[in-house]
Amino acid sequence: MGADFADRTDFDNAERGFVARLEPGQILGEGGRVVYDADAYTSATAGECPGTVNPSFWRQSQLTAIQGLFEVTDGIYQIRGIELSNMSIVEGDTGVIIIDPAVSAEVAKAGLELYRSQRGDRPVTGVIFTHSHVDHFGGVLGVVDADTDVPVIAPEGFLEHAVSENVYAGTAMMRRSVYHTGAALEVSPIGTLGVGLGPGTSLGTIGLIAPTLDITHTGQEETVDGIRIVFQITPNTEAPAEMNFLFPDKRALCMAENTTHTLHNLYTLRGAQVRDARAWSRYIAEAIDLFAADSDVLFASHHWPTWGTEAITTFLTQQRDLYGYLHDQTLRMINEGYVGSEIAEMIQVPPALDAAWNTHGYYGSVSHDVKAIYQRYIGWYDGNPAHLWQHPPQAAAERYVDVIGGVDATVAAAKKYADAGDLRFAAELGSHAVFADPDHQGARGLLADVFTKLGYGSECGTWRNNYLVGAAELLAPPKKTAWSPGGMAAALTITQLFDSIAIRINGPRAWDAKASIRWEFTDTGETYRMELSNGVLVHHLTDRKDPADLAITLTKPQLVALLGGSTDDITFDGDPTALQTLMSFVDSPSPNFSIVTP
């Protein structure tokens, strides 16, 4: 059946309440560097759909390119289209509450300035983080100072998950995000047009402020600057720590990122923990029960609002059923003996859901969401012993190419399948050829061409970006990106700071090394013992003062400074080489590792 291209409701809603555009649409950072260019997305999505873009994704990209300040309802505004995510602004008695201040400080600052140019210079009197993903907190230092005394509200567990996702695996995730967001591609009909969830991600300064007020339970009510807010905790939905909330006096419902105008990711291609489709569906059902009848407008941290109680209920019901259907049908087929790759080919969205635009896979996809559900319940192993101990990519490629008859023969076979329209198998063969002989220009060119065609045909924005970035990196060295996450360190706990060291210890080099350090923090009154033993750096809180090679007395801010190379006003007692020994085993991983080549 499919959705109706003649239906202009989404365009009407995306433009409703328009107040002012950001003019010009370029946001600049330090030294005049362009942090984000909204004008590029406006220009790139003008006119009729070209042959290099899936028509459904073209429509979605036109919607996400609409930018500016919009009134959601009396006293609630959104900045949309100048970042991957929305920044929402709620007017209180004396100032404004900021909901989800973008990815970077430069964008958040520009958005707040746009609002103030139309509504007056109101101070920020509160900040709300709806969940633990960087595009919903990273720009906080653009709206408040690091030492702000305004309440910073987040769901319980926010800080732990914000750190584990963006610091522990941060280097790998940053590299994969280049593919996920298409950050290194030009904004054009032959490049990136966004990710379906929104336009591109800004490349500015990322920061983090620890929450001062945790939302711990559904039904918790808080008043911020005279505004009543009723919260719903939704852990393990779109993020491990997330929440929806209702402004009852305004009949306005914020659904965070739990319901947007797309099928979302259960597994994000940039890399993250698999989400729980069952919990996601049930929390949407709970939101319908708690809030739908009391809401005249629903807004979220991406995309455009939905107005009207009946339309809100329909939208929430479609989203509820979408995640519930994928969850239940995947498990049904798992128990019939099918593996994830098979189920992903078999499942079809019910026609009534497919007829709604908001269920289409612009950011997630049925294919990789089904595989995510399979992974969550069954894991990576599909039960076939032939897949239990397979060769890694380069070793497998060399053997496949040998069986096929060499790289030239493999490239020829890949071209045959590509010419026949089987781009998926052509990509697999072409990848084997490249991994077997990375310098073979015919293999690289063929695979780049196949990736490009796959990208142009993708309805899913992240698929398009992954294919097109892969094609670009086969033809030229990877471009470096300019994210700056340094502003997050001050918000980390002591344990998280120590963890960030431990996960970078080069275990094999440190097998035979021994070192022990006692850390005494004068500001928290805590003592930690740290030991390097058998290539692992262990640390724990202790009340004991057992002998150690080195005792270090400092504050938590001094620990942050020490990790940056400063020893000012820190007391060292014992063998100073103990710290030098430990730090000598710390790797500095490159964020530019290869992906489409060995």
Side-chain angles (χ1 to χ4, degrees), residues 419-474:
D419 291 344
D422 189 350
L423 297 174
R424 296 164 68 180
F425 193 60
E428 187 170 343
L429 288 177
S431 181
H432 283 322
V434 169
F435 270 71
D437 185 356
D439 295 325
H440 194 290
Q441 295 306 306
R444 295 174 77 112
L446 182 280
L447 183 56
D449 182 62
V450 169
F451 280 170
T452 298
K453 290 176 181 175
L454 285 166
Y456 288 168
S458 295
E459 182 181 47
C460 180
T462 55
W463 284 37
R464 176 184 175 93
N465 289 339
N466 270 265
Y467 282 129
L468 296 185
V469 173
E473 293 193 357
L474 285 163

Side-chain angles (χ1 to χ4, degrees), residues 503-521:
I503 60 178
R504 293 166 56 198
I505 293 291
N506 187 314
R509 288 203 299 113
W511 280 344
D512 300 323
K514 298 286 185 183
S516 59
I517 300 175
R518 187 172 67 250
W519 300 82
E520 298 182 358
F521 291 90

Side-chain angles (χ1 to χ4, degrees), residues 308-330:
T309 303
E310 183 179 351
I312 289 169
T313 303
T314 297
F315 171 68
L316 290 174
T317 299
Q318 290 167 341
Q319 290 277 304
R320 176 199 68 189
D321 293 351
L322 179 62
Y323 298 108
Y325 185 86
L326 293 180
H327 174 271
D328 293 351
Q329 295 307 304
T330 299

Side-chain angles (χ1 to χ4, degrees), residues 45-99:
T45 56
E48 297 297 317
C49 178
T52 56
V53 185
N54 177 285
S56 179
F57 181 62
W58 179 256
R59 174 188 181 277
Q60 184 78 351
S61 299
Q62 288 182 316
L63 285 160
T64 58
I66 297 171
Q67 64 102 332
L69 173 68
F70 299 83
E71 183 181 33
V72 175
T73 191
D74 184 36
I76 299 180
Y77 293 80
Q78 282 191 310
I79 306 290
R80 300 200 294 265
I82 66 168
E83 174 66 278
L84 172 63
S85 52
N86 300 334
M87 185 170 82
S88 302
I89 301 171
V90 182
E91 296 177 348
D93 289 348
T94 63
V96 294
I97 305 162
I98 303 294
I99 303 172

Side-chain angles (χ1 to χ4, degrees), residues 294-345:
D294 298 319
S295 303
D296 292 330
V297 62
L298 179 156
F299 66 100
S301 298
H302 296 273
H303 297 149
W304 50 94
T306 299
W307 282 271
T309 303
E310 183 179 351
I312 289 169
T313 303
T314 297
F315 171 68
L316 290 174
T317 299
Q318 290 167 341
Q319 290 277 304
R320 176 199 68 189
D321 293 351
L322 179 62
Y323 298 108
Y325 185 86
L326 293 180
H327 174 271
D328 293 351
Q329 295 307 304
T330 299
L331 278 172
R332 177 178 67 84
M333 288 191 237
I334 286 173
N335 287 316
E336 292 176 353
Y338 294 104
V339 301
S341 57
E342 293 171 325
I343 300 169
E345 300 294 312

Side-chain angles (χ1 to χ4, degrees), residues 489-533:
L492 308 191
T493 66
I494 292 169
T495 294
Q496 290 166 339
L497 288 166
F498 285 157
D499 280 344
S500 70
I501 303 171
I503 60 178
R504 293 166 56 198
I505 293 291
N506 187 314
R509 288 203 299 113
W511 280 344
D512 300 323
K514 298 286 185 183
S516 59
I517 300 175
R518 187 172 67 250
W519 300 82
E520 298 182 358
F521 291 90
T522 58
D523 53 344
T524 67
E526 296 173 321
T527 298
Y528 287 77
R529 182 174 180 82
M530 177 181 285
E531 292 185 27
L532 182 62
S533 173

